[in-house]
Amino acid sequence: MRSLVVVVAASVVVAVGLAACSPLKTINLVTSESSFVRTADIAYGDASARQQLDVYVPVKGAKPPPVVVFFYGGSWTGGSRKDYMYVAEALAARGIMTVVPDYRLSPEVVYPAFVQDSAQAVAWTLDHIATYGGDANRVFVMGHSAGGYNAAMVALDDRWLKPYGKSPAALKGWIGLAGPYDFLPIVNPDIKPAFLYPDTPKDSQPIVHASAASPPALLLAGSKDDVVDPNRNTAQMTTLLRSRGVYVDEEIYEGLGHAMMVGVIAWPLRSRAPVLDRVVDFVERDGKAPATAQMPSPKQ
């Protein structure tokens, strides 16, 4: 019976592209909770009920485990951390502690409030994750779509962590899944209010902040993404960071669309692309380039 539910869930997710919350809830219903212990509804700020996060502590794996702070997408107008248990479970099952924050949304707030919230959640993680058994020296930020933007801004622009006495140098790396890093002029009417368009500050774009001081990055996208152009965003950010001497692990997956970049983390869909494996590998390497295998010395 469970296998039938999984097949149906996977079919629904593929059909609707994870655009509605009901498929996410269906995936969560068939996601095992045996790989983690969750502490929910932790306040990282006091300005809004949305300034809360959940911590997923892996049951198995190295101690203390590395930590990923995951920001979900939703055009800065929607989304809930409760819908992304499947992402946290996938990482926790591989020995990675996961923090999933909510953040304030438009139209309640506008830029830069959601970036400020993201930075505050990351600062909270750096300060408090050791209490939950996590390694505060191995913290990564990760996001999909709008969440990928949030992660990029925290990792690339030191303005946001500075009020908390932190800097991007405290991060081992950042991971962007179909993230928008260069999207002016804004054409999507749904997100124009969130960025005060046409008066959007130019420094709201992550691409502006790429520098030699940027943390290592894993940037993944799908070739069929018709929401966030993978060439203008993922490929351009990769080229710019590499030109600054920053290590970037990048891949554009053939045939994947925008929503499926996070959808394939759900275990019924993982065969479509090894996104989870790439994330885990990047974290386990602490954002470093793979070690070059040494050739044996010639026999004398």
Side-chain angles (χ1 to χ4, degrees):
M1 180 64 183
R2 186 173 184 271
S3 61
L4 176 60
V5 172
V6 169
V7 171
V8 172
S11 299
V12 170
V13 171
V14 172
V16 303
L18 286 164
C21 67
S22 55
L24 293 175
K25 291 179 179 178
T26 301
I27 287 293
N28 283 333
L29 284 173
V30 298
T31 297
S32 171
E33 298 187 35
S34 63
S35 63
F36 61 80
V37 175
R38 174 174 54 187
T39 302
D41 306 327
I42 303 168
Y44 66 83
D46 56 12
S48 168
R50 286 193 61 84
Q51 291 181 323
Q52 295 186 353
L53 54 78
D54 297 343
V55 176
Y56 294 77
V57 179
V59 172
K60 298 179 180 179
K63 305 296 181 184
V67 181
V68 165
V69 183
F70 174 76
F71 298 103
Y72 53 79
S75 300
W76 301 280
T77 62
S80 168
R81 69 186 188 278
K82 305 299 185 185
D83 291 334
Y84 290 86
M85 182 186 77
Y86 76 92
V87 174
E89 187 280 332
L91 294 171
R94 302 288 288 272
I96 299 172
M97 187 176 292
T98 308
V99 177
V100 185
D102 278 331
Y103 51 92
R104 288 173 294 169
L105 301 169
S106 179
E108 175 196 352
V109 298
V110 297
Y111 172 85
F114 33 82
V115 179
Q116 293 168 332
D117 285 359
S118 299
Q120 191 169 2
V122 171
W124 180 95
T125 301
L126 292 167
D127 283 336
H128 298 285
I129 205 63
T131 304
Y132 296 85
D135 190 342
N137 295 312
R138 299 179 69 197
V139 175
F140 297 77
V141 291
M142 170 180 171
H144 169 252
S145 192
Y149 168 90
N150 293 1
M153 288 296 281
V154 172
L156 301 178
D157 184 353
D158 64 3
R159 288 179 297 170
W160 311 115
L161 284 173
K162 188 176 294 184
Y164 307 102
K166 314 293 182 187
S167 78
L171 302 173
K172 280 293 184 182
W174 67 283
I175 301 161
L177 307 181
Y181 313 124
D182 179 25
F183 51 90
L184 292 181
I186 297 174
V187 296
N188 184 340
D190 294 334
I191 68 173
K192 287 182 177 181
F195 283 90
L196 303 167
Y197 191 78
D199 298 317
T200 309
K202 291 184 178 179
D203 62 4
S204 66
Q205 304 299 286
I207 200 78
V208 172
H209 304 286
S211 73
S214 302
L218 171 63
L219 304 181
L220 307 176
S223 68
K224 297 297 184 182
D225 192 332
D226 58 3
V227 177
V228 176
D229 184 340
N231 293 313
R232 180 178 179 184
N233 293 275
T234 295
Q236 182 185 200
M237 178 65 84
T238 296
T239 299
L240 189 55
L241 285 173
R242 286 176 176 169
S243 74
R244 305 288 196 266
V246 177
Y247 172 68
V248 183
D249 190 356
E250 179 225 28
E251 186 157 352
I252 308 295
Y253 289 101
E254 187 63 33
L256 280 193
H258 184 72
M260 287 306 295
M261 282 307 302
V262 71
V264 294
I265 293 176
W267 67 269
L269 302 173
R270 286 177 198 163
S271 62
R272 299 197 63 182
V275 170
L276 176 61
D277 289 341
R278 293 292 291 274
V279 170
V280 172
D281 178 61
F282 182 75
V283 171
E284 289 180 342
R285 288 188 279 112
D286 285 335
K288 299 175 182 176
T292 302
Q294 292 189 359
M295 299 296 291
S297 299
K299 294 181 179 181
Q300 300 297 322

